[in-house]
């Protein structure tokens, strides 16, 4: 039997074009610090008396889904999909003033029950089976900023139960990471206020 460690597992993500329809391949493979993605099930239990001492004789599955969390460093490309899912609206602008490859992206809260859905991917090189998880959502997001450390996030995720796939071939994207010294916190009544005098 093959033996290994969890650090060999790769986690991928892609934006769904049709909600609940899995994308074939990950747009990004996210490096991670901590990862859990477990299958969950709920059952209806038959606890009627059948003349025996057991308190239940049967159960029927009523619900099945996948749930877990991912913790990792904030990167300039892959983290955008996490923000898109939790906020729901993305407005992309032209290149930032004075830049040719840096763009301004604004994430706003969508006032709807269905924000952008994602497909999650799980690749384990030691198993004979990989999985994709359609209709994935980010239900909670926490950011952690400490001096002398990379800015990190913890995202609670949910999706449909995993669908078996042939083996994926993960390829990690080269990205920029952030430390607190790179950031500025601004507060204003509206977006235009962030560009001028802060209130």
């Amino acid at each position: 039997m093959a033996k290994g460690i969890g650090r060999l597992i790769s986690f991928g993500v892609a934006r769904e074009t049709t909600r609940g329809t899995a994308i074939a391949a990950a747009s990004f493979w996210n490096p991670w610090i901590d990862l859990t993605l477990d299958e969950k099930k709920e059952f209806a239990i038959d606890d009627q008396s059948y003349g025996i001492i057991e308190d239940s004789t049967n159960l029927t599955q009523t619900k099945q889904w996948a749930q877990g969390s991912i913790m990792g460093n904030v990167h300039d490309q892959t983290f955008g999909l996490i923000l898109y899912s939790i906020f729901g609206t993305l407005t992309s602008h032209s290149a930032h003033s004075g830049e040719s490859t840096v763009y301004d992206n604004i994430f706003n809260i969508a006032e709807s029950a269905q924000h952008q859905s994602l497909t999650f991917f799980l690749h384990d090189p030691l198993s004979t089976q990989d999985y994709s998880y359609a209709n994935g959502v980010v239900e909670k997001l926490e950011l952690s900023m400490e001096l002398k450390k990379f800015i990190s996030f913890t995202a609670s995720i949910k999706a449909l139960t995993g669908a078996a796939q042939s083996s994926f071939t993960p390829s990690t994207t080269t990205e920029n990471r952030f430390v607190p010294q790179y950031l500025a916190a601004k507060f204003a009544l509206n977006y235009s206020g962030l560009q001028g005098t802060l209130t």
Side-chain angles (χ1 to χ4, degrees), residues 4-116:
I5 58 176
R7 292 180 66 88
L8 293 174
I9 293 174
S10 296
F11 177 83
V13 62
R15 181 178 71 88
E16 293 181 348
T17 52
T18 301
R19 187 176 191 87
T21 301
I23 300 300
S27 300
F28 300 103
W29 289 94
N30 295 54
W32 54 272
I33 297 170
D34 187 64
L35 174 66
T36 59
L37 190 56
D38 300 320
E39 294 284 342
K40 304 286 186 179
K41 295 180 181 180
E42 289 183 357
F43 299 92
I45 300 174
D46 183 359
D47 54 5
Q48 299 177 106
S49 175
Y50 286 89
I52 55 177
I53 64 172
E54 288 86 346
D55 63 352
S56 59
T57 60
N58 192 15
L59 52 83
T60 300
Q61 181 177 305
T62 58
K63 187 176 180 181
Q64 185 175 6
W65 74 100
Q67 184 173 356
S69 66
I70 179 171
M71 177 183 180
N73 292 329
V74 173
H75 296 87
D76 62 342
Q77 295 183 53
T78 57
F79 190 61
L81 287 178
I82 302 294
L83 292 175
Y84 196 1
S85 179
I86 197 162
F87 284 108
T89 301
L90 166 63
T91 304
S92 296
H93 293 276
S94 57
H96 186 76
S97 177
E99 299 284 347
S100 60
T101 58
V102 177
Y103 292 82
D104 293 325
N105 297 289
I106 300 173
F107 298 91
N108 288 317
I109 297 176
E111 299 297 337
S112 70
Q114 291 190 338
H115 288 188
Q116 177 61 51

Side-chain angles (χ1 to χ4, degrees), residues 144-151 178-185:
S144 176
M145 289 171 268
E146 299 179 50
L147 290 176
K148 298 184 284 188
K149 290 186 177 181
F150 291 114
I151 295 173
F178 300 95
V179 291
Q181 291 89 331
Y182 296 166
L183 304 181

Side-chain angles (χ1 to χ4, degrees), residues 93-143:
H93 293 276
S94 57
H96 186 76
S97 177
E99 299 284 347
S100 60
T101 58
V102 177
Y103 292 82
D104 293 325
N105 297 289
I106 300 173
F107 298 91
N108 288 317
I109 297 176
E111 299 297 337
S112 70
Q114 291 190 338
H115 288 188
Q116 177 61 51
S117 61
L118 307 171
T119 298
F120 300 126
F121 301 84
L122 207 59
H123 169 70
D124 184 350
L126 295 179
S127 72
T128 58
Q129 195 66 68
D130 287 352
Y131 292 91
S132 64
Y133 301 83
N135 206 22
V137 296
V138 178
E139 58 178 355
K140 182 179 178 182
L141 178 65
E142 297 179 359
L143 293 175

